[in-house]
Amino acid sequence: MQFIDLAAQQKRIRKKIEQNLKRVLDHGAYVMGPEVDELEQRLAGMAGVKHALGCASGTDALLLALMALGIGPGDAVLVPSFTFFASAETVSLVGAVPVFVDISSEDFNLDPVKLERAVVALRKNDPRLHPLPELGGGPLKPKAVIAVDLYGLPADYAAINRIADNEGLTVIEDAAQSLGGSRQGKAAGSLGAVGCTSFYPAKPLGAYGEAGMVFTDDDDLAGTMTSLRVHGSGHHSYEHLYIGLNARLDTMQAAVLLAKLDIFSEELELRAQAAARYTELLAESQVETPALPEGCASAWAQYTVLAKDHEHRAALRDKLAEADVPTAVHYPAPVHLQPVYEHLGYRQGDFPVAEFTAGRVFSLPMHPYLKPADQKKIAGLLQKG
Ligand SMILES: *Cc1c(COP(=O)(O)O)cnc(C)c1O
């Protein structure tokens, strides 16, 4: 059994992929070619935003957003502690400090109540209200929130945007896992001021290499990110307005993505069906299944369940592995306890939900071509008793 079956997908659309790649070989515009424009237009439409800009990875998408917002030294960016490392890493890369916030125990996303408390703690420079990084120097200025749509489920942006508006913070949506999902009728990528996604091969819409995209309705931000994407370039060649990046998108990746985009909405439906089937089959099992709040559509990048604790998870994963069922842990440690952030002085116990969750989660095989019979087998292995 495969954890993600990319070969089954390729078999369906191999011809189209080959045609699209051949077109790139023929025209020879290997970087930012016409396929990139087409992909940007189609995905701007899908996300319901004015601007979609292709870039080199999801990590670069986050960097472009942070750089365009002018975030840097002395600034705080609020980030959930339970996420893929890049959500916080990019904050550090621009010289700002990630201020971690716990996740909700209802889903795996940023807890808005704790977010609000964290902002108050930052304003008052009072770590008794919320664990804050231990740094010498003056208080940090809260500038932005990176809300992450973990496993494909958009976070609670109604609440997050309200807090951000009151506090004058910009919301960056880390939609690396959620492209194709939605909340209250708004598509993932469009839920904050800037949305950032990834086309890493294992994501719901995956390239055959590295690629990413930023989404925004803001003309100024789009203009700045367009420049930053190509070394901060100006109106003519070799004029530079900013210190930027080489974050352009390869045309070959756009060509692959266009072929995959043709079947993406059908694949999202197949993922949703597979997720619903797991939830039904696992209702009386030894694991807790993921919530799908009212008015939300998840892209189901992962189907992630909760064991009782660390030992229970290890036992269940062993049992599944013996039966040839691959599983994975996303993510085994919360970001505030990563060795690289030791200097920030966070401690075990600072974000109890994130810590407890990291010790209990594991993801089951999930992709559009998952067979119901395989899901039944997995559910059988996870039954009680
Ligand atoms: C994958 C991922 C990223 C980074 O995307 P890359 O394309 O791998 O750089 C960022 N944030 C989250 C939540 C991710 O899952």
Side-chain angles (χ1 to χ4, degrees):
M1 204 185 297
Q2 303 277 319
F3 187 69
I4 298 176
D5 193 347
L6 291 175
Q9 180 198 50
Q10 190 186 94
K11 220 169 140 195
R12 273 189 74 186
I13 53 168
R14 174 84 183 217
K15 251 218 174 89
K16 182 81 189 176
I17 290 172
E18 285 179 0
Q19 280 168 6
N20 285 7
L21 289 174
K22 183 176 177 299
R23 209 163 4 117
V24 180
L25 292 174
D26 289 342
H27 68 55
Y30 300 120
V31 175
M32 299 297 294
E35 283 77 6
V36 174
D37 291 330
E38 189 185 339
L39 184 71
E40 289 177 344
Q41 278 169 31
R42 284 177 66 180
L43 286 181
M46 195 184 94
V49 294
K50 249 169 109 177
H51 307 278
L53 304 172
C55 62
S57 67
T59 305
D60 275 354
L62 289 166
L63 265 180
L64 287 170
L66 289 161
M67 289 168 78
L69 290 166
I71 289 165
D75 296 336
V77 178
L78 296 118
V79 184
S81 176
F82 190 62
T83 180
F84 179 61
F85 184 57
S87 314
E89 180 186 32
T90 46
V91 173
S92 301
L93 277 171
V94 298
V97 178
V99 171
F100 294 108
V101 180
D102 210 348
I103 55 165
S104 159
S105 50
E106 303 290 309
D107 55 32
F108 298 104
N109 288 330
L110 190 63
D111 183 337
V113 174
K114 289 168 189 158
L115 171 66
E116 190 155 33
R117 210 179 301 150
V119 181
V120 173
L122 275 168
R123 297 250 188 252
K124 297 188 173 164
N125 200 17
D126 185 352
R128 288 169 307 179
L129 299 173
H130 179 96
L132 294 178
E134 282 170 11
L135 294 162
L140 295 164
K141 266 197 295 261
K143 280 280 183 70
V145 186
I146 297 182
V148 182
D149 304 339
L150 208 69
Y151 309 143
L153 177 72
D156 183 0
Y157 289 91
I160 293 166
N161 284 323
R162 185 170 4 90
I163 295 162
D165 284 349
N166 288 340
E167 300 287 348
L169 308 178
T170 305
V171 176
I172 298 172
E173 178 186 6
D174 183 343
Q177 302 183 8
S178 63
L179 197 67
S182 65
R183 189 151 187 145
Q184 261 81 48
K186 283 199 80 185
S190 75
L191 291 156
V194 196
C196 304
T197 201
S198 164
F199 305 118
Y200 182 75
K203 309 281 171 165
L205 182 62
Y208 286 156
E210 307 281 353
M213 193 165 275
V214 284
F215 300 96
T216 188
D217 276 326
D218 185 313
D219 298 338
D220 291 338
L221 272 181
T224 311
M225 291 192 292
T226 302
S227 168
L228 289 169
R229 176 171 64 169
V230 191
H231 303 289
S233 61
H235 304 292
H236 46 83
S237 309
Y238 308 115
E239 179 192 48
H240 300 276
L241 307 173
Y242 310 100
I243 298 297
L245 301 168
N246 173 4
R248 292 173 293 220
L249 177 55
D250 276 7
T251 314
M252 293 274 193
Q253 299 307 335
V256 169
L257 287 164
L258 284 172
K260 293 197 181 195
L261 193 53
D262 289 340
I263 56 165
F264 187 48
S265 60
E266 186 195 330
E267 287 193 340
L268 285 167
E269 180 54 37
L270 291 170
R271 282 178 185 273
Q273 285 170 14
R277 198 176 299 119
Y278 264 141
T279 300
E280 196 185 319
L281 289 167
L282 293 170
E284 299 296 320
S285 72
Q286 298 187 56
V287 295
E288 279 176 45
T289 56
L292 186 60
E294 203 48 38
C296 290
S298 175
W300 295 108
Q302 304 294 345
Y303 189 91
T304 303
V305 297
L306 287 159
K308 287 184 191 70
D309 55 32
H310 195 274
E311 287 76 32
H312 186 224
R313 173 172 73 187
L316 292 177
R317 291 187 72 208
D318 282 349
K319 189 173 175 191
L320 289 165
E322 274 165 33
D324 190 34
V325 177
T327 59
V329 175
H330 309 100
Y331 300 91
V335 187
H336 69 280
L337 298 178
Q338 288 294 339
V340 70
Y341 285 133
E342 216 176 287
H343 68 286
L344 297 180
Y346 287 106
R347 288 178 197 87
Q348 190 88 37
D350 278 349
F351 305 113
V353 184
E355 291 165 21
F356 192 40
T357 302
R360 298 166 68 203
V361 281
F362 66 104
S363 304
L364 301 176
M366 172 49 93
H367 57 84
Y369 308 100
L370 194 57
K371 293 192 185 74
D374 285 342
Q375 292 188 277
K376 280 198 192 108
K377 170 181 160 176
I378 293 166
L381 292 161
L382 295 173
Q383 278 322 300
K384 281 190 176 132

